[in-house]
Every structure is written in structure tokens, then in C-alpha cells.
Amino acid sequence: MNKIEHIGVAVSDLSKAKALFDTLFDRQGYKSEEVQSEGVTTHFYQMGESKIELLEATKDESAIKKFIEKRGEGMHHIAFDVSNIHSEILRLKEAGFIFINEIPKKGADNKLIAFLHPKSTGGILVELCQDAPK
Ligand code: ZN
């Protein structure tokens, strides 16, 4: 794994959260993007070589909606940049890690992503992400 690509933060009201984090970081986000397959709207801040991703649910079945109902708003996942997501998935599966989705899917910000189950990663929801081939 190369670096922390981004940290995902679950929010219940994106426009309120934007105002809060704009002030906290003293800058504006560089893009908002809806990811229909995940039922979320995302909003990104560049923080050096990493990012903060705000996530707001767009439908009731969204994992973000369920997360907030159970645990409230806050840190949701850590995403690590990998050079080759397919070989990294194989390596981690062989090492016994459990994936939520072991077939990479398209995430926000032109990435291929896969999530590991927190029960196999010390309680942290881990996302692998690789720049999607153009
Ligand atoms: Zn993410």
C-alpha cells in the first residue's frame, strides 16, 4: 500500500457538513460527485497528498445511512492507494483477510475500489483504491 489516499467521513447533511469543514480546513472542497451504486453523494477536500471524503446517503439502503443510525456521524473508513488492486486483493485474501467486495468496483473520483471487512482489519473499514484506467 502506497499512502493514505483519503479518509471517509459519514455526514447526515452534506450542505451543513461542507460549511463546517470549509471553515475547519480554511478551504473549499474540489468536487462533489454522486456514486449511485453506493447510494452516496461524496465531497472531496485535498489535504496535501491525501484527501478527506465526506459521504452523505442518498437512499435508505445506503451503508452510510445505516452507519449513522448505528454509530452517528463521524469517521467511516480509511482508503489506501494501491498500484494494482487486483494483485493486492489476491495477496490479502491469501493472508486471510475478508473482503466486503473482492471484485473491484468503480468508486468516486475515477477509482477502482474494494472494501475489506472491519472484523478482519482490527475494526477499521479499509478501502483499497487504484486510479481507474482511463
Ligand atoms: Zn472512500
Side-chain angles (χ1 to χ4, degrees):
M1 294 188 195
N2 302 324
K3 62 171 184 179
I4 296 177
E5 213 285 329
H6 64 268
I7 293 175
V9 177
V11 305
S12 53
D13 181 329
L14 189 56
S15 57
K16 275 189 193 157
K18 271 190 212 170
L20 171 71
F21 286 97
D22 283 1
T23 307
L24 180 66
F25 300 147
D26 197 19
R27 76 190 63 167
Q28 298 200 321
Y30 67 90
K31 78 145 110 173
S32 291
E33 183 180 347
E34 188 178 346
V35 185
Q36 285 198 350
S37 59
E38 299 292 300
V40 295
T41 302
T42 61
H43 186 69
F44 285 93
Y45 293 89
Q46 191 72 48
M47 309 297 291
E49 63 168 14
S50 302
K51 301 162 191 161
I52 298 290
E53 173 187 41
L54 305 182
L55 299 141
E56 178 193 54
T58 54
K59 56 184 181 191
D60 285 347
E61 314 86 81
S62 163
I64 293 301
K65 173 118 185 183
K66 290 175 189 146
F67 177 88
I68 289 175
E69 278 167 7
K70 252 204 254 178
R71 316 206 4 206
E73 292 183 292
M75 233 189 77
H76 180 258
H77 65 270
I78 302 181
F80 295 95
D81 177 65
V82 297
S83 308
N84 183 329
I85 196 166
H86 300 281
S87 61
E88 198 67 358
I89 288 168
L90 280 179
R91 180 182 77 80
L92 292 169
K93 274 178 65 183
E94 276 170 19
F97 289 92
I98 299 161
F99 279 81
I100 293 172
N101 67 296
E102 60 180 61
I103 296 168
K105 54 189 178 182
K106 268 207 90 180
D109 218 13
N110 196 41
K111 303 285 185 190
L112 284 174
I113 63 171
F115 283 96
L116 286 110
H117 199 288
K119 75 181 171 202
S120 70
T121 50
I124 302 165
L125 179 57
V126 170
E127 173 186 347
L128 305 180
C129 64
Q130 179 202 321
D131 286 324
K134 299 252 159 75

